Amino acid sequence: MNNDDLLRRAIELAEEAGAAGNRPFGAVIVAPGGEVVAEGQNRVAATGMVTEHAELTAITAAIEAGRADDLAGATIYASGEPCPMCSAAVVWAGITHVVYGAAEADFAAVIGGHPRFSLSCADVIASSDANVTVSGPNLRDETLGPFLRYAAQHGRD
């Protein structure tokens, strides 16, 4: 699978999260060798846990499956730009590549939400001493689809 295919899988997971009443975010973690290590979806509304963002549920799933070592050097594909909490978790987990779809400013314009941060994913990661590359936004129109459908069903937060 290539970057676009893996990002599209994150978009599918976001669509599923949105259909379940959660904000529409999905994430896929891929080991350096190309194997999918874990997937995650936003589950904040379903669980009431504010840390149940897609990136964190994917990282947690990898660790719970005994695959923590596979996170070192991995790539995370996120349907939306990771927030500061998730960006920091990427650094702590040893993930070295972030590929995201919609930029925070773009999806926030569609679904709203507060609080908001002025720090981008790249800014948070750059403030660390980790060597992590960040690519995004990618497939902008495709990644905004789940946000548009969520907003149509649930309105803006």
Side-chain angles (χ1 to χ4, degrees):
M1 296 182 88
N2 65 33
N3 280 348
D4 287 352
D5 292 335
L6 291 160
L7 190 51
R8 285 185 179 108
R9 176 62 186 146
I11 296 167
E12 289 173 8
L13 293 165
E15 196 76 63
E16 292 172 11
N22 297 288
R23 291 169 66 94
F25 294 93
V28 177
I29 300 173
V30 178
E35 180 185 1
V36 173
V37 174
E39 297 181 338
Q41 297 176 338
N42 181 300
R43 299 184 328 191
V44 172
T47 65
M49 296 291 295
V50 298
T51 58
E52 290 287 300
H53 290 197
E55 299 88 346
L56 290 178
T57 63
I59 291 169
T60 300
I63 293 166
E64 288 176 347
R67 306 221 36 205
D69 290 345
D70 292 326
L71 296 175
T75 302
I76 189 163
Y77 296 85
S79 62
E81 182 176 4
C83 73
M85 175 181 66
C86 293
S87 299
V90 162
V91 171
W92 291 120
I95 295 169
T96 57
H97 305 282
V98 176
V99 178
Y100 69 84
E104 190 274 342
D106 292 333
F107 65 72
V110 175
I111 62 172
H114 294 282
R116 292 186 58 203
F117 292 86
S118 62
L119 291 173
S120 69
C121 171
D123 291 339
V124 172
I125 289 173
S127 71
S128 76
D129 62 357
N131 185 16
V132 180
T133 62
V134 178
S135 172
N138 296 285
L139 302 178
R140 182 183 180 275
D141 292 339
E142 287 181 55
T143 55
L144 282 177
F147 297 107
L148 293 167
R149 285 182 282 284
Y150 177 86
Q153 292 177 344
H154 303 281
R156 289 174 47 107
D157 294 332

